[in-house]
Amino acid sequence: MRVQIAIIGAGPAGLLLGQLLARAGIDAIVIEQRSPDHVLGRIRAGVLEQVAVDLLDEAGVGARMHAEGLVHEGFELGFNGGRQRIDLAGLTGGKRVMVYGQTELTRDLMDARAAAGLPTVYGAQDVSIHDFGGERPRVRYLKDGVWQEIVCDFIAGCDGYHGVCRASVPQGALSIYERVYPFGWLGLLSDTPPVSEELIYSSHPRGFALCSMRSRSRSRYYVQCSLDDKVAQWSDAMFWDELRRRLDPRAAASLVTGPSIEKSIAPLRSFVAEPLRFGRLFLAGDAAHIVPPTGAKGLNLAASDVRYLSRALVEFYAGSSSGIDHYSENCLRRIWKAERFSWWMTTLLHRFPGTSGFDQKLQEAELDYLVHSTAAQAALAENYAGLPF
Ligand code: APR
Ligand code: PHB
């Protein structure tokens, strides 16, 4: 089989790229190792920057998001028993974010792909990529016991952190930058109304907590936990008790609890692999970088890579290789700013085991600075709402 672009991975990055390319008349196949249900089973942050919302509109998949998503003009920082609102819209000249679950977004992209009859292979085993140093890259995989081979112009590696694409780059061609944090997030999803209209990021001596939501009747909460913790050790009741302790009294009193629909522990990591292009292979999304979830930049960064890549490929087929030549450096400029912001917000709000009193005092001073300085709030708001392209 021959296509212009072989996209490896049907997460948000791969599906969004496929959609943008299809609208530009470029033919692509998406090859995914898992089943659609498995892909939809992953629960991840759901806060979209305006630029990501615009890109989804451009891809023609924004209708349900606009109908069901929640537009937020601010969020709150909880500490010292109180809360400080960060007025995103007021501090950024009107920018807002869209709270819309990544599962729903992925479903919309899957539905659009199916409705347009675009080729997608789920359940592809032993995917491997070849010859991306030359002009005729190839992708091989096993499907229903039969080996398949695809010849293409370019391979888009949208196969996440554990994917095969980054792993196929020759040793020594990649520079890896990484920080692993000494704690995790225990997340719980429940069909209960959110504790507050806006998200609350809470810093507490017992550890960080986050109150988020998927809709007006479905909430997503997190508490910082130890990396040694196991989900089975945390009953729902223990989770709710711990969350309540880490919130201010007003939020704690209005927290509505209920049975969990999902509960999981995620480690926190900052990771960047450079560059993002090797000949005719491009990495995009989690395949190239990971941020800790504080600030919800993961999906937004994936969207930003895909924006650059889709435009670069459209330009290429129109006769210019400038976009693909600058793909890596364009992406990395935004990636590193989002890495910096996610690291900063993580460091500001979590308790680090074994930290000195000095570090603790710095955290307190930074929060106090945020309360009293509009400039500091504006810097936070500008990054949270999303930096311009
Ligand atoms: N072959 C084919 N598909 C693969 C392979 C492989 N060898 N390895 C992984 N995949 C698939 C995974 O099953 C997954 O569906 O690639 C997809 C990658 O999707 P994601 O991990 O969701 O990554 P991405 O699309 O870049 O999305 C970024 O996800 O982790 C969050 O915070 C992140 O929100 C951001 C978003
Ligand atoms: C979420 O809703 O899952 C979420 C929201 C904001 C974050 C992280 C996760 O910063």
Side-chain angles (χ1 to χ4, degrees), residues 9 11-13 32-34 42 44 102 127 158-160 285-286 298-299:
E32 162 64 49
Q33 67 178 1
R34 305 288 194 165
R42 302 189 189 108
R44 284 156 169 184
Q102 210 174 122
V127 177
C158 303
D159 51 349
D286 279 16
L299 176 59

Side-chain angles (χ1 to χ4, degrees), residues 161-309:
Y161 181 66
H162 300 287
V164 69
C165 290
R166 192 182 71 249
S168 304
V169 172
Q171 285 257 320
L174 271 181
S175 298
I176 304 289
Y177 303 90
E178 187 169 28
R179 172 154 305 178
V180 177
Y181 299 86
F183 40 73
W185 278 19
L186 170 64
L188 181 147
L189 189 69
S190 65
D191 276 329
T192 52
V195 67
S196 178
E197 286 274 301
E198 297 182 336
L199 271 63
I200 305 174
Y201 291 83
S202 180
S203 168
H204 187 273
R206 295 180 66 90
F208 170 77
L210 170 60
C211 305
S212 181
M213 63 194 73
R214 293 289 174 269
S215 68
R216 293 192 197 285
S217 57
R218 181 170 283 189
S219 300
R220 179 69 167 163
Y221 295 105
Y222 299 93
V223 293
Q224 175 185 347
C225 66
S226 159
L227 279 175
D228 300 327
D229 283 7
K230 302 277 175 281
V231 177
Q233 298 168 335
W234 283 87
S235 65
D236 289 359
M238 278 169 68
F239 180 93
W240 292 119
D241 284 347
E242 189 58 38
L243 176 64
R244 215 180 273 109
R245 284 196 194 106
R246 297 183 190 190
L247 301 180
D248 63 279
R250 195 159 52 89
S254 47
L255 181 69
V256 180
T257 65
S260 62
I261 308 171
E262 192 265 3
K263 220 166 17 185
S264 53
I265 293 180
L268 272 71
R269 177 191 302 272
S270 298
F271 173 93
V272 182
E274 294 188 10
L276 276 72
R277 177 193 176 189
F278 307 88
R280 288 185 167 237
L281 166 67
F282 300 94
L283 302 179
D286 279 16
H289 44 77
I290 298 287
V291 286
T294 334
K297 288 293 168 223
L299 176 59
N300 292 296
L301 268 191
S304 142
D305 293 350
V306 164
R307 185 177 181 277
Y308 282 119
L309 186 52

Side-chain angles (χ1 to χ4, degrees), residues 309-325:
L309 186 52
S310 58
R311 280 159 170 65
L313 291 171
V314 170
E315 262 179 62
F316 176 85
Y317 287 110
S320 161
S321 62
S322 165
I324 61 172
D325 290 343

